[in-house]
Amino acid sequence: GQAFLPSSTVMILWRLSAANQLKENHAWSILWGLLAVLAVGWPFCAVLFVSTGVWALWKASGLGSSTSEDEKNKKFQLGPVIHVLVRTAIHAILIQAMVMAIDYYFYGQILSPIWNIFVYNAQSGGDELYGVEPLSYYIKNLLLNFNLVSLLGVASLPLITFKHFVKRFFPRPEFCNHDTQKCNEGTGSMEILVLVPMYIWMGIVLPRPHKEERFLFPIYPMICFGASITMKEAISLLNNIMSKKQGRISRKVTLWIGLALLSPSAMISVSRSLALCHYYSAPLDLYRDLFSHAVTATSLSVSNGEDTITHVCTAGEWYRFPSSFFLPPNHQLGFLKSSFTGQLPQPFTQFGSKKESLDVMGVGSFNDINKEEMDRYIDIDQCAYVVELVPSSFESSDNTSRDDDIPECLKYMDFDSSAGSSWTQIASYDYLDADSTPLLHRILYFPVGMKGQAIYKGYNLYARRKRKLW
């Protein structure tokens, strides 16, 4: 399923909008776009729906007629255009009113998340604290996630443009289904409208220094749609060329051609999905074990009648923590100081997102420039569990690694052990060591021939041993 992220939600809403646009249902197409822009809290996605609005106004004006009968009587109509604008404004006001009412309930004040996110992103360098990547980062992600489909998808609009150019200025029969009269007809207007937002989005997202895979989520359906257009055009061209020699290709043969072209891509995609599950599922498995162990330990302990907080601690592995839903009641993620120097998350209080939460956590616990807040951190002696990613070399008795290479949590536990505490490892799962594994075995999963190729680290869970009372 999809994660509950603004980017993935926008992706779903764009698909609904595009589906209605292809059906010429412009009212619903715009409505889904308004929900994406106003209700999700990611207003930058508005650029994905510009072509939707422009096309709806164009059709309403009477200038975008699609029949030859209407072509002769084209005339601009102001009334329908005003109707579309007024209807859109009413829908936007209603959606924004509902969003602000919900926000008021949870935040306790009238505010506009859209305005806040614009102000936040207008500040320079705010997101660069979380890492910067070269342009190749997105290229690699598209190839990893879509392989051949990504290339076909990105090539779709240039291909349609080239086909339109050839049909208009070089009307050859093989480009016009052997009917040169059709070379004068319009080509793929709706297809172009659906594909244009993909290139606008890439033009905005690709140059930004801070890059995340989720920023590409909104254009994933466009990539698939574009790939299907490229496949259709390629098979159609092949069909037209072959029909000059031996007649038109049957639909059955066309289907087999499509399967032959896409089967390698499908197998690579399956292998990639298996690799993600096999190599990187350790955090989900480990926190499942943590939940079971913590529930058992709680049931066996003697309660003093107070709801004390048990801390599950980590240092540099904080960003792989899946969700607080993986923790039992009265258990909370704790942060040990690591090499990361940005602002870390803060748990919700009983006041949720209201201002009263700041009084509980202390004034100044948040800032809008992602600078480090030292009140996020706790000491190792407050931790009941520790999660750390440990290279296999550190689990051997002859480990002679430098102090700088020792995982941060192991240093904390060693220091705590010297003070009289002791820790035991209660779970460990394999997590791929990307730096030590060859490229091919890092990105794909092979059911055979894997022995010795994939190198793993240990994604380990440690529990504090309770001191015996004498």
Side-chain angles (χ1 to χ4, degrees):
Q2 292 295 328
F4 290 108
L5 293 170
S7 51
S8 58
T9 307
V10 166
M11 177 186 72
I12 295 170
L13 292 174
W14 182 90
R15 287 165 56 190
L16 294 170
S17 176
N20 282 278
Q21 184 179 16
L22 292 171
K23 295 176 182 178
E24 298 283 342
N25 192 345
H26 302 300
W28 276 98
S29 179
I30 294 175
L31 182 59
W32 290 118
L34 289 173
L35 283 171
V37 175
L38 299 176
V40 175
W42 219 40
F44 318 106
C45 70
V47 298
L48 299 174
F49 301 96
V50 171
S51 60
T52 302
V54 171
W55 184 252
L57 291 173
W58 178 253
K59 297 292 285 187
S61 70
L63 300 177
S65 57
S66 56
T67 63
S68 57
E69 184 76 21
D70 295 334
E71 283 284 340
K72 302 175 183 178
N73 303 313
K74 278 188 177 181
K75 184 179 179 181
F76 180 77
Q77 302 175 32
L78 181 61
V81 172
I82 294 177
H83 174 75
V84 171
L85 292 174
V86 171
R87 182 186 64 203
T88 302
I90 292 174
H91 288 166
I93 292 171
L94 291 175
I95 293 171
Q96 185 62 34
M98 287 188 290
V99 169
M100 293 186 72
I102 294 171
D103 288 337
Y104 180 80
Y105 177 82
F106 285 102
Y107 292 105
Q109 57 182 320
I110 297 176
L111 49 79
S112 173
I114 293 177
W115 172 254
N116 289 342
I117 198 171
F118 271 126
V119 172
Y120 168 77
N121 282 274
Q123 302 176 15
S124 59
D127 59 354
E128 294 175 15
L129 279 170
Y130 295 92
V132 297
E133 299 289 345
L135 179 61
S136 59
Y137 174 86
Y138 281 143
I139 298 175
K140 291 176 181 178
N141 266 277
L142 287 175
L143 290 174
L144 283 173
N145 292 329
F146 287 97
N147 52 79
L148 175 63
V149 173
S150 65
L151 300 177
L152 296 176
V154 174
S156 57
L157 187 58
L159 177 64
I160 294 175
T161 305
F162 176 73
K163 179 183 177 182
H164 180 67
F165 176 81
V166 171
K167 287 177 64 175
R168 186 176 182 86
F169 297 102
F170 305 97
R172 295 175 59 86
E174 57 265 30
F175 294 113
C176 310
N177 293 325
H178 298 282
D179 185 355
T180 53
Q181 294 290 334
K182 292 184 179 181
C183 283
N184 297 321
E185 298 177 0
T187 300
S189 298
M190 293 300 295
E191 296 171 352
I192 293 174
L193 281 170
V194 173
L195 291 172
V196 161
M198 174 173 66
Y199 299 90
I200 296 175
W201 188 257
M202 288 193 293
I204 295 173
V205 171
L206 266 59
R208 290 191 62 84
H210 177 64
K211 296 176 175 62
E212 296 183 36
E213 181 184 351
R214 64 187 178 94
F215 294 161
L216 295 179
F217 286 1
I219 66 171
Y220 281 176
M222 305 175 209
I223 291 174
C224 296
F225 180 78
S228 67
I229 297 299
T230 302
M231 287 285 297
K232 183 196 76 171
E233 295 295 343
I235 294 176
S236 175
L237 177 61
L238 178 63
N239 196 3
N240 290 334
I241 294 174
M242 294 294 294
S243 63
K244 293 176 62 177
K245 300 179 179 179
Q246 52 189 18
R248 299 187 66 82
I249 302 175
S250 66
R251 295 186 64 180
K252 186 175 182 180
V253 174
T254 300
L255 177 62
W256 280 107
I257 293 174
L259 287 174
L261 292 174
L262 291 179
S263 292
S265 176
M267 289 188 290
I268 293 174
S269 296
V270 170
S271 179
R272 175 62 180 168
S273 298
L274 291 174
L276 292 174
C277 293
H278 185 76
Y279 296 149
Y280 302 107
S281 62
L284 297 177
D285 295 331
L286 182 137
Y287 281 100
R288 180 192 59 203
D289 280 2
L290 167 65
F291 189 99
S292 300
H293 186 277
V295 168
T296 302
T298 302
S299 63
L300 294 177
S301 64
V302 179
S303 174
N304 58 6
E306 297 181 1
D307 292 335
T308 57
I309 297 297
T310 300
H311 285 103
V312 179
C313 298
T314 189
E317 286 299 302
W318 64 270
Y319 63 94
R320 290 195 180 103
F321 175 64
S323 168
S324 294
F325 291 111
F326 281 75
L327 299 180
N330 299 326
H331 285 66
Q332 185 173 292
L333 186 67
F335 300 111
L336 299 170
K337 183 72 175 73
S338 69
S339 57
F340 177 72
T341 57
Q343 184 171 213
L344 290 167
Q346 185 77 293
F348 284 99
T349 70
Q350 67 270 30
F351 300 106
S353 300
K354 297 181 179 180
K355 280 188 174 181
E356 290 83 353
S357 291
L358 296 176
D359 297 330
V360 175
M361 294 182 288
V363 178
S365 292
F366 283 98
N367 64 79
D368 57 2
I369 53 176
N370 287 332
K371 295 297 183 182
E372 185 176 27
E373 293 284 355
M374 299 306 296
D375 61 2
R376 294 292 192 276
Y377 303 111
I378 64 176
D379 296 325
I380 184 64
D381 57 9
Q382 298 175 261
C383 302
Y385 298 94
V386 167
V387 176
E388 182 60 287
L389 183 64
V390 181
S392 57
S393 58
F394 287 95
E395 299 179 355
S396 61
S397 57
D398 58 345
N399 173 43
T400 58
S401 301
R402 297 179 306 168
D403 184 69
D404 292 342
D405 297 331
I406 299 176
E408 292 165 316
C409 284
L410 296 189
K411 295 181 183 180
Y412 281 111
M413 288 190 293
D414 287 342
F415 175 80
D416 192 49
S417 298
S418 64
S421 300
S422 61
W423 295 83
T424 181
Q425 179 179 310
I426 60 174
S428 180
Y429 288 92
D430 289 339
Y431 192 92
L432 189 73
D433 186 346
D435 295 330
S436 304
T437 301
L439 176 64
L440 189 60
H441 290 272
R442 187 165 71 238
I443 63 177
L444 299 176
Y445 177 76
F446 300 95
V448 295
M450 290 286 295
K451 189 174 181 181
Q453 297 295 327
I455 309 301
Y456 296 95
K457 295 181 179 181
Y459 205 82
N460 298 346
L461 174 63
Y462 303 90
R464 181 187 294 275
R465 287 179 178 171
K466 293 186 177 180
R467 298 178 182 177
K468 294 181 180 180
L469 299 178
W470 300 93

